[in-house]
Amino acid sequence: MSSSREWLSAPLLEDEESSNDRVRRVSFAPTLEKGTLHRSIAFWVIICACIVSAASTVGNFSIVRAWKAARRRSDEEIVFSLKPLRYANAYIGLDTAVLQDPTPIPPITNYPLYIGQANASDPSKVYLDVRHWASNFGMVYQEDRTFLVSSEVSTVIQFRTLDFGMERCNLMLVVPTSAELLADSEGHHHHHERRSTKEVALSKDPFTLDIWRLEAFDNIDPRTLSWSTKPRRLTSLAQSHVKPGKRIELESPEFHCAAGSLVTFEVTCTSPLCHLAFEQDVKSPKMAMYILQHQSIFREDSIL
């Protein structure tokens, strides 16, 4: 009987043991599921972060590409977009004033903003002449520019008119003879000054200079001016007959030049061997093309 009890009790112990094991296994199950859940959340957080990072990178690349595409626009497009802009009027209200006794004003000498060349035999050629040198005060841009006219090359020259009430203009061209320049150089030498280096290149045969008014109401861009891009001719302004050994003195007919406006000209010659070249120089003896602006307000006149 006792053996039977022992035999019967064994399975009970085993059942008790196995039930304890089951309890342990059951008690561990939530822990295992919780750890798996945490790992799963971390995994999906990392995936979402990678997706957001990739989307952000693609967006940044798109922005950079769009910016570079905008920067690749040509200089002509940029200049064109600025064409409607105008300089502010510095004389607001003066057009309604009336002067009873205006003081006579001497003429103003106005030198060009720009001088450049265009070549008919090479229509796309751009002659960029921007002379400058570095100084202790910053970059200095020289006023002297090349004036060159031949059977194939013309010179384009642009001015901005100055001051209110000085709106009667004449275009002037003065070129001394080689003898005058030599005498000036010798005079500098006698006074122990540095010799003048002014020179004029002039063809041996006489020819005629033609001066044209151009249709240009905005600043000329020196980086793009060529024969194919220069403004079109409007009217002939003046002519000058050039002879070897003779001083060139040209004064155009008077024309209206509104204050603050741009006026642009082209100088040409058509003879097969015509040639005139010099460096613009405003020092005496003057060798330059310039504008003389005369008073346009007179007694009891309203300012125009």
Side-chain angles (χ1 to χ4, degrees), residues 245-256:
K246 299 293 184 179
R247 179 182 177 89
I248 301 174
E249 289 185 318
L250 177 145
E251 180 176 353
S252 76
E254 186 178 289
F255 59 92
H256 176 72

Side-chain angles (χ1 to χ4, degrees), residues 46-276:
I46 292 172
I47 292 297
C48 291
C50 290
I51 293 173
V52 171
S53 177
S56 176
T57 302
V58 171
N60 288 337
F61 274 120
S62 300
I63 292 172
V64 171
R65 288 187 64 184
W67 177 76
K68 286 185 176 180
R71 287 291 302 272
R72 281 197 296 266
R73 289 186 306 170
S74 64
D75 290 338
E76 290 84 357
E77 290 174 335
I78 295 173
V79 171
F80 179 77
S81 66
L82 296 178
K83 281 186 177 181
L85 298 178
R86 292 290 184 270
Y87 283 87
N89 182 9
Y91 310 105
I92 296 174
L94 286 181
D95 55 344
T96 61
V98 177
L99 299 182
Q100 298 299 326
D101 190 12
T103 303
I105 304 172
I108 297 173
T109 302
N110 185 354
Y111 294 102
L113 290 174
Y114 170 78
I115 299 178
Q117 280 71 47
N119 192 335
S121 62
D122 191 357
S124 61
K125 175 70 174 178
V126 175
Y127 295 88
L128 187 60
D129 183 19
V130 184
R131 306 176 192 184
H132 59 278
W133 53 278
S135 72
N136 294 332
F137 303 99
M139 193 66 70
V140 176
Y141 290 87
Q142 298 172 223
E143 290 185 351
D144 56 322
R145 294 287 184 272
T146 300
F147 186 101
L148 171 62
V149 178
S150 70
S151 58
E152 296 181 341
V153 177
S154 66
T155 285
V156 176
I157 187 164
Q158 187 173 64
F159 301 83
R160 180 175 294 281
T161 52
L162 308 171
D163 286 1
F164 196 86
M166 304 292 290
E167 301 178 354
R168 296 165 47 235
C169 289
N170 298 94
L171 183 66
M172 314 292 291
L173 175 63
V174 176
V175 182
T177 64
S178 297
E180 289 177 286
L181 296 178
L182 179 62
D184 176 69
S185 178
E186 292 297 332
H188 281 79
H189 177 66
H190 291 320
H191 290 86
H192 305 287
E193 298 175 2
R194 191 173 65 176
R195 284 178 178 267
S196 173
T197 57
K198 297 181 181 181
E199 294 181 350
V200 177
L202 186 64
S203 58
K204 296 179 180 180
D205 297 322
F207 61 91
T208 300
L209 284 176
D210 294 292
I211 301 176
W212 304 85
R213 186 82 178 261
L214 299 187
E215 186 182 33
F217 307 106
D218 299 286
N219 290 91
I220 289 177
D221 187 350
R223 301 167 298 175
T224 61
L225 180 75
S226 65
W227 185 269
S228 59
T229 62
K230 68 181 179 68
R232 74 180 185 92
R233 297 172 185 173
L234 291 176
T235 57
S236 174
L237 179 68
Q239 286 186 331
S240 178
H241 300 289
V242 179
K243 296 180 181 179
K246 299 293 184 179
R247 179 182 177 89
I248 301 174
E249 289 185 318
L250 177 145
E251 180 176 353
S252 76
E254 186 178 289
F255 59 92
H256 176 72
C257 50
S261 64
L262 291 168
V263 286
T264 309
F265 307 96
E266 182 182 12
V267 185
T268 65
C269 66
T270 55
S271 302
L273 299 178
C274 64
H275 185 86
L276 172 63

